[in-house]
Amino acid sequence: MMSAVQDARLQDVPDEVPVLISGGGPSGLFLALDLAHRGIRSLVIEPRTSIDQDRPRAKTTNARTMTHLRRIGLATALRDAAPLPVEFSQDVIFCSSLTGREIRRFSNAFQLVTDRYGPQPEGGQQVPQPVLESVLREAVAASGHATMLTGLRVESFAAGAQGQHVNVVDAAGQGRTVRSRFLAGADGGSSTVRRSLGIRLNGGSAALSNVSILFRSRDLAETISLDPAVQYWVLGPGTAGMVGRMNMDQTWWAIIQGVDGSAGAEDPDPATLVRSLVGADVDVDVVATDPWTARMLLAPSYGRDGVFLVGDAAHQNPPWGGHGFNTCIGDAANLAWKIAAAMDGWAGPELLESYGLERRPVAERTINDAAANGKALAYHFADPALEREGAEGDAARAGAHSALGVKQSEFDSLGLVLGYSYSGSPLVVPDGSPVPAEDPIRYTPSASPGALLPHAWLEDGTSIYDLLGPGFTLLVDAGSLAGAALEDVYAPVVASAGGLGVPAAVIAPGPDSNGIPMAELWAADAVLVRPDQHIAWRGSSAEAAAHALTIAAGWNGPASLKAKEAAHADAVIS
């Protein structure tokens, strides 16, 4: 079996593969690795033969994405590869210039913590997208189930009796057809897969553009008069934007905000723009520039008939808050276990259909919050008085400090990162309890069906998430058993799982590290946790848990259960 990341020729392309993934960016690579984690083979087709190190794009890997990486064994590898350690800084600072005055500070931004994190088993990590992609490519190369071929692209596909017939072409336009049961379009904003499905992104773009600048400077670090920060937001009246370290050496990034991108507009000198942000005549060696415009776009559906849109192919949102790439990884994590269930033969009719139903509202909520933050950029707060002495300067800084409160959800966004729920999903069994109100800032841990399993550190120092396997997990508060044997009390769940062919485990954790019983944290004796760490059911009845497992596997209703019984009968006869 071929398993590698390699520049390919058409003869390297297999005739058939269970899952073909168009696009080898973060979402496509993560999907392949999550499938591999579940024992499912996939082939990633990626046009780029190398990773562009000069356009770092995404830099924020949030706590939820780091936890997904932990689940497939890559969180430590990414932290080790990150050129900017979390210990360097956890703050975002708004200032008049890098040699001027601090206006406001947001601490522990992007879930950056140096100690053990509470809301998830992993905190956030600042890391450029090229570094992340390199780590994921290396993991694919080491995988026994994932293959990535570069220098090729998916040109078209057609549905066949056994799945998709995908036309893969090389740079010369020569093609080869691959049969796959499933096709995932992780091929970005101009997705060929999406266009072939006839799906158009709906939404709009920001009025003004931005320019990203990657540069080196020998003396910038010593010139900055402010405390270390992962991002500096400069509220300069001449040039407004952001600056941050790319690494602990001499490489930096900047984003100039509010640029006139219309035809005929003058292209300013990028080195001059950087010096304006700094507020001093530092040396600037420009490595690359990358103009871009923030877009707020969302697909009306995420695919059909075994073809799915993942990541930027389905949604595009402004980068304010760093949610775009992380939302893409969330898509892949949601889709992977459902495709694996279908490949392993236990997916009910509702399972794959739930992918778009669950993920599209998350993207819509994220786009709306990022778009709101896009209406409060650095130049909106620019004021020459911010650097002045005396009462006028004091008043200007106090006013700006207060006004910048609107930016809190951009940096302190735990409600957005962890607070989304799949409560309306057909795979979730509601219990009548109120679902915590959505808030981009405040995260209220809840075991309400559809929510993310509330995290807890156990008495032995391990994370409760580390108890979860690749299938479903019924977590039972150990104290609720009252001396009875776990396997006896919850035998109906084991029987239901066996009858459906669903991988499931029943585990009884004790109290958390503060001595609080799990039943108190969950407001129930037990919770059924899906393979993506979201809760499908909570309650106290073993029979109800067994029924919930049927629904969570996509066998929801008499018609689908009859189909499942017929499939089992056919299997026995054959």
Side-chain angles (χ1 to χ4, degrees):
M1 179 192 309
M2 179 172 55
S3 176
V5 175
Q6 55 185 272
D7 295 345
R9 300 166 298 175
L10 283 177
Q11 54 262 46
D12 297 323
V13 179
D15 293 330
E16 188 171 3
V17 68
V19 183
L20 193 146
I21 301 168
S22 176
S27 55
L29 291 169
F30 186 89
L31 177 59
L33 290 166
D34 204 345
L35 288 169
H37 184 64
R38 303 176 190 284
I40 304 300
R41 291 191 301 114
S42 68
L43 171 65
V44 180
I45 298 295
E46 167 56 47
R48 296 172 301 155
T49 57
S50 62
I51 299 171
D52 187 350
Q53 303 291 335
D54 295 339
R55 285 167 176 78
R57 303 292 171 91
K59 306 173 191 70
T60 299
T61 302
N62 67 29
R64 183 70 189 126
T65 298
M66 288 301 300
T67 296
H68 281 310
L69 291 168
R70 177 190 180 104
R71 177 170 54 80
I72 63 173
L74 290 178
T76 298
L78 184 63
R79 291 200 193 278
D80 289 345
L84 196 68
V86 173
E87 292 76 14
F88 166 71
S89 178
Q90 304 86 49
D91 299 344
V92 171
I93 293 177
F94 284 73
C95 56
S96 57
S97 72
L98 300 190
T99 54
R101 294 176 177 267
E102 178 177 326
I103 308 300
R104 183 159 184 159
R105 179 185 303 227
F106 293 90
S107 300
N108 295 118
F110 310 121
Q111 304 96 59
L112 295 172
V113 294
T114 54
D115 299 324
R116 190 170 74 171
Y117 196 49
Q120 288 278 272
E122 298 284 342
Q125 175 69 58
Q126 291 291 291
V127 57
Q129 183 172 322
V131 175
L132 170 78
E133 286 194 40
S134 296
V135 170
L136 296 182
R137 282 193 177 201
E138 289 171 6
V140 167
S143 170
H145 290 85
T147 300
M148 179 177 179
L149 301 178
T150 63
L152 305 173
R153 61 182 173 84
V154 170
E155 184 177 65
S156 61
F157 65 90
Q162 302 300 319
Q164 311 303 320
H165 292 226
V166 184
N167 186 31
V168 175
V169 301
D170 60 17
Q174 299 299 308
R176 182 180 178 92
T177 298
V178 185
R179 295 187 304 276
S180 67
R181 181 170 174 186
F182 296 107
L183 171 62
D187 45 353
S190 58
S191 170
T192 296
V193 174
R194 187 189 67 242
R195 293 201 308 271
S196 298
L197 287 171
I199 297 174
R200 296 173 60 91
L201 296 177
N202 299 324
S205 302
L208 294 176
S209 298
N210 311 273
V211 176
S212 294
I213 303 171
L214 187 71
F215 66 97
R216 296 188 183 93
S217 178
R218 294 184 303 276
D219 53 8
L220 178 54
E222 292 73 26
T223 302
I224 296 174
S225 59
L226 306 170
D227 289 342
V230 292
Q231 293 180 5
Y232 297 100
W233 283 61
V234 180
L235 314 181
T239 303
M242 306 156 63
V243 180
R245 275 188 179 273
M246 188 62 64
N247 55 38
M248 296 304 294
D249 193 8
Q250 299 177 357
T251 306
W252 299 73
W253 59 268
I255 297 177
I256 310 302
Q257 300 172 349
V259 175
D260 183 359
S262 61
E266 181 181 355
D267 289 331
D269 174 53
T272 300
L273 293 174
V274 170
R275 292 188 183 99
S276 179
L277 292 174
V278 175
D281 188 20
V282 295
D283 73 296
V284 176
D285 177 16
V286 175
V287 176
T289 60
D290 186 15
W292 54 274
T293 302
R295 307 192 188 283
M296 293 72 72
L297 302 171
L298 182 61
S301 73
Y302 276 26
R304 59 179 181 269
D305 302 326
V307 182
F308 305 97
L309 303 179
V310 183
D312 286 351
H315 49 78
Q316 295 173 49
N317 62 282
W320 320 122
H323 302 299
F325 140 73
N326 293 285
T327 307
C328 297
I329 298 298
D331 292 346
N334 185 286
L335 182 59
W337 74 270
K338 296 172 181 178
I339 287 180
M343 293 299 306
D344 289 339
W346 57 266
E350 286 83 10
L351 192 65
L352 285 169
E353 292 179 4
S354 72
Y355 165 61
L357 295 175
E358 292 184 347
R359 290 304 301 171
R360 190 177 182 279
V362 176
E364 184 174 25
R365 180 186 178 200
T366 304
I367 289 170
N368 290 339
D369 188 76
N373 275 302
K375 296 177 181 178
L377 297 179
Y379 60 88
H380 291 109
F381 303 92
D383 184 351
L386 291 174
E387 290 213 305
R388 291 176 187 161
E389 302 287 346
E392 183 183 7
D394 291 342
R397 289 185 287 276
H401 182 279
S402 177
L404 285 167
V406 73
K407 300 294 286 181
Q408 185 175 355
S409 74
E410 185 162 346
F411 313 110
D412 185 10
S413 56
L414 202 58
L416 201 66
V417 172
L418 303 182
Y420 62 92
S421 174
Y422 300 143
S423 58
S425 169
L427 308 184
V428 167
V429 182
D431 64 358
S433 62
V435 178
E438 290 186 348
D439 185 290
I441 298 170
R442 285 173 289 278
Y443 167 56
T444 304
S446 169
S448 175
L452 190 64
L453 173 69
H455 181 252
W457 291 105
L458 303 179
E459 288 183 319
D460 63 359
T462 61
S463 164
I464 194 168
Y465 277 41
D466 294 338
L467 302 181
L468 306 177
F472 286 88
T473 307
L474 183 70
L475 294 176
V476 180
D477 175 62
S480 71
L481 295 171
L486 177 66
E487 57 270 21
D488 293 337
V489 176
Y490 286 93
V493 178
V494 177
S496 178
L500 292 168
V502 176
V506 182
I507 299 172
D512 73 3
S513 59
N514 296 314
I516 300 174
M518 290 295 128
E520 185 174 332
L521 297 177
W522 303 332
D525 289 340
V527 291
L528 179 64
V529 185
R530 309 187 329 177
D532 60 358
Q533 302 169 341
H534 281 260
I535 293 173
W537 167 90
R538 69 173 168 181
S540 303
S541 163
E543 290 73 17
H547 178 63
L549 181 65
T550 299
I551 294 174
W555 299 99
N556 189 357
S560 62
L561 285 174
K562 278 188 177 181
K564 182 65 174 176
E565 290 167 2
H568 272 297
D570 290 343
V572 171
I573 292 170
S574 60

